[in-house]
Amino acid sequence: MALKSDSMKKGISKAPQRALLKALGLMDYEIDKPLVGIVNSFNEVIPGHIHLDKLSQAVKTGVKIAGGTPLEFPTIGVCDGIAMNHPGMRYSLPSREVIADSIEIMAEAHAFDALVMVTNCDKIVPGMLMAAVRINIPTVIVGGGPMLAGRLKGEDIDLITVFEAVGKVQTGGMSESEVQEVIRRACPGCGSCAGLFTANSMNCLCEALGISLPGNGTIPAVYADRTLLAKKAGVAVMELLKKDVRPKGIITKEALENAFTVDMAIGGSSNTVLHLSAVAYEADIDFDLNKINEISRRTPNLCHISPSGPAHMQDLHEAGGIPAVINELMKKDLINKNAVTVRGRTIGEIAKDTPVINNEVIRPVDDPYSETGGLTILWGNLAPEGAIVKQAGVSEETLHYKGKARVFDSEEAATDAILGKKIVPGDVVIVRYEGPKGGPGMREMLTLTSALAGLGLVTQVALITDGRFSGGTRGCAIGHVSPEAAEGGPLAFVKEGDEIEIDIPAQKLVLNVDDAEMETRRQGWTPPEPKIKHGYLARYARDVSSASKGAVI
């Protein structure tokens, strides 16, 4: 079998390279084997990554068992929860591009034959997915697994419980000493936060895409099965190498449709649209946002995992996980069953052996939570290129909503107004200049949505932004409004008191201002000065695309 690494290590002209490889302590026997890059985003900052050093060791064991030589290298990561609600959040989404770029640099510079990517958390998983299809050598992605839910007074809690506690303190519904108890118990150990937030959504969708082994999305981080999964991934990548199965042969248009279908069924984070759009871009796949609504219309929502309901990721795992969800969806022919996977079996073959164990966690396809999916793309004069809402987290009261605009030009200003009790039922909170360019970095605004929930306003107030909302968001929170305000999108021309109409079932987001008035406002608008003028964020803001295109460089 001809190896890519042969171009770097074979022949007399490559004697210097072999000398350097031997300096690593490698024997000639090891150098002559396939060289498998183990990308590891381990660090001591992110709870979802603190244990990845151990998983990486398990992957390396699997590679060695199957006849390869593993060589580990790192990449960066940002913890969205720690970065939330301060300037650090501007770096979260832009870090995705750095992750993809850094992996490309390492893989191509060192001529690896295959890759196993050990990852977790919000931007690291999609960054690695983007790199996988861009580099296009045999690759398996291994997630670090979800955190277990915390327990308080006999109930499961998670990080969102802490965020919402902040709002409860403002109303007198919780004391600061009670918040301290929530803090102590909400995050009991390593793993990505326990609900179906962006990190766990993306790890689940890696299964649906076929680029990860079954269980990748739901096996808890602390279970021995997570270590076993990592070891199996090391073995699996060597089999992919033998058969020359590459990411672009796995992540196809059909696989993306499967991923979005599963996303709708489980009610995943709205950020998955941003990330899968970026993956499609890297894979040279044209994936129109209208296709997402088409998939949503035909896909029933089967799961209400936190923040949409009381269940957590360990409950989804025990109910059968993603294969069981796919098993249900196949009953109505909603899945491309012949899509290939890194396991060497089709997605249909894997799922047919996994029945649902708990119908309270994964509803039968004939008795869903709703007949349509968890995400909806909205269109209208306020979002000509689209906006997104996590419909599964929206209450019945706000599916159809009309209210008066309260306009804020930053997350901080909106947060102060909400916590200062200046937002009342019937308001539509507009947070603009927070998009990919305007932010810059398209900050996530979990503090806003959690504050509304804590204040008891989550069913009485709507939020609209060109920024993003966390996968932990619930309520009528509409994000990714495109084009963004900083590029002269209609959001820039909304005035205090304007009437805004939201109709989620009809996929409409409308500003009730006539065209002539909008044109007058457009003519009088002046683009804002860039908030960041130097460094990485300034370069990012200059080159980044619209959110409707995945916010790619």
Side-chain angles (χ1 to χ4, degrees), residues 470-544:
S470 164
T473 293
R474 60 190 177 98
C476 188
I478 299 165
H480 307 196
V481 172
S482 299
E484 62 175 289
E487 289 198 303
L491 205 65
F493 315 132
V494 180
K495 290 187 175 181
E496 192 84 5
D498 283 348
E499 185 180 77
I500 294 174
E501 192 171 348
I502 301 164
D503 190 335
I504 294 173
Q507 302 159 10
K508 289 183 179 179
L509 179 60
V510 177
L511 174 65
N512 287 328
V513 173
D514 64 48
D515 292 346
E517 172 62 19
M518 286 295 284
E519 185 56 32
T520 299
R521 295 182 187 184
R522 187 187 308 275
Q523 294 297 328
W525 177 73
T526 302
E529 281 288 310
K531 295 174 186 172
I532 308 288
K533 297 183 180 180
H534 302 285
Y536 175 59
L537 286 181
R539 299 196 303 275
Y540 178 85
R542 182 189 66 218
D543 296 333
V544 69

Side-chain angles (χ1 to χ4, degrees), residues 228-246:
L228 185 60
L229 180 84
K231 196 176 293 185
K232 288 178 178 177
V235 174
V237 81
M238 293 303 296
E239 191 63 27
L240 294 178
L241 181 59
K242 289 175 188 174
K243 295 178 179 178
D244 194 28
V245 178
R246 301 171 183 241

Side-chain angles (χ1 to χ4, degrees), residues 114-246:
L115 297 167
V116 180
M117 300 183 177
V118 184
T119 181
N120 230 10
C121 298
D122 293 38
K123 308 309 172 299
I124 303 89
V125 179
M128 290 196 181
L129 270 172
M130 292 164 66
V133 291
R134 184 190 301 174
I135 300 163
N136 201 34
I137 59 176
T139 300
V140 179
I141 291 181
V142 180
M147 185 185 293
L148 293 173
R151 295 283 290 175
L152 180 63
K153 297 179 180 178
E155 295 185 357
D156 286 347
I157 62 173
D158 56 39
L159 184 65
I160 305 306
T161 313
V162 189
F163 273 97
E164 294 186 359
V166 175
K168 290 180 180 178
V169 170
Q170 304 298 313
T171 63
M174 185 175 283
S175 68
E176 291 194 23
S177 62
E178 288 174 314
V179 173
Q180 292 303 315
E181 187 66 13
V182 174
I183 291 170
R184 281 192 290 271
R185 295 177 178 269
C187 300
C190 67
S192 47
C193 298
L196 194 60
F197 317 139
T198 304
N200 291 325
S201 296
M202 288 304 302
N203 272 326
C204 287
L205 297 191
C206 283
E207 283 189 59
L209 286 169
I211 198 71
S212 293
L213 294 171
N216 182 73
T218 59
I219 298 172
V222 295
Y223 283 15
D225 276 350
R226 178 58 60 176
T227 305
L228 185 60
L229 180 84
K231 196 176 293 185
K232 288 178 178 177
V235 174
V237 81
M238 293 303 296
E239 191 63 27
L240 294 178
L241 181 59
K242 289 175 188 174
K243 295 178 179 178
D244 194 28
V245 178
R246 301 171 183 241

Side-chain angles (χ1 to χ4, degrees), residues 431-508:
V431 190
R432 62 192 180 192
Y433 301 114
E434 289 288 1
K437 289 182 182 295
M442 204 179 181
R443 290 190 289 178
E444 223 171 52
M445 302 185 195
L446 181 56
T447 301
L448 289 180
T449 55
S450 298
L452 286 174
L455 289 165
L457 293 173
V458 74
T459 64
Q460 302 170 69
V461 170
L463 285 165
I464 299 173
T465 184
D466 50 10
R468 298 181 298 121
F469 291 114
S470 164
T473 293
R474 60 190 177 98
C476 188
I478 299 165
H480 307 196
V481 172
S482 299
E484 62 175 289
E487 289 198 303
L491 205 65
F493 315 132
V494 180
K495 290 187 175 181
E496 192 84 5
D498 283 348
E499 185 180 77
I500 294 174
E501 192 171 348
I502 301 164
D503 190 335
I504 294 173
Q507 302 159 10
K508 289 183 179 179

Side-chain angles (χ1 to χ4, degrees), residues 76 78 80 83 88-100 122-124 126-127 130 198 271 274-275 278 434-437 440-444 466-468 480 536-537 540 544-547 550-553:
I76 65 165
V78 170
D80 277 30
M89 178 47 74
R90 290 197 173 99
Y91 287 89
S92 176
L93 181 60
S95 76
R96 187 189 69 180
E97 314 306 306
V98 175
I99 291 161
D122 293 38
K123 308 309 172 299
I124 303 89
M130 292 164 66
T198 304
N271 287 310
L274 192 74
H275 298 319
E434 289 288 1
K437 289 182 182 295
M442 204 179 181
R443 290 190 289 178
E444 223 171 52
D466 50 10
R468 298 181 298 121
H480 307 196
Y536 175 59
L537 286 181
Y540 178 85
V544 69
S545 77
S546 166
V552 295
I553 297 297

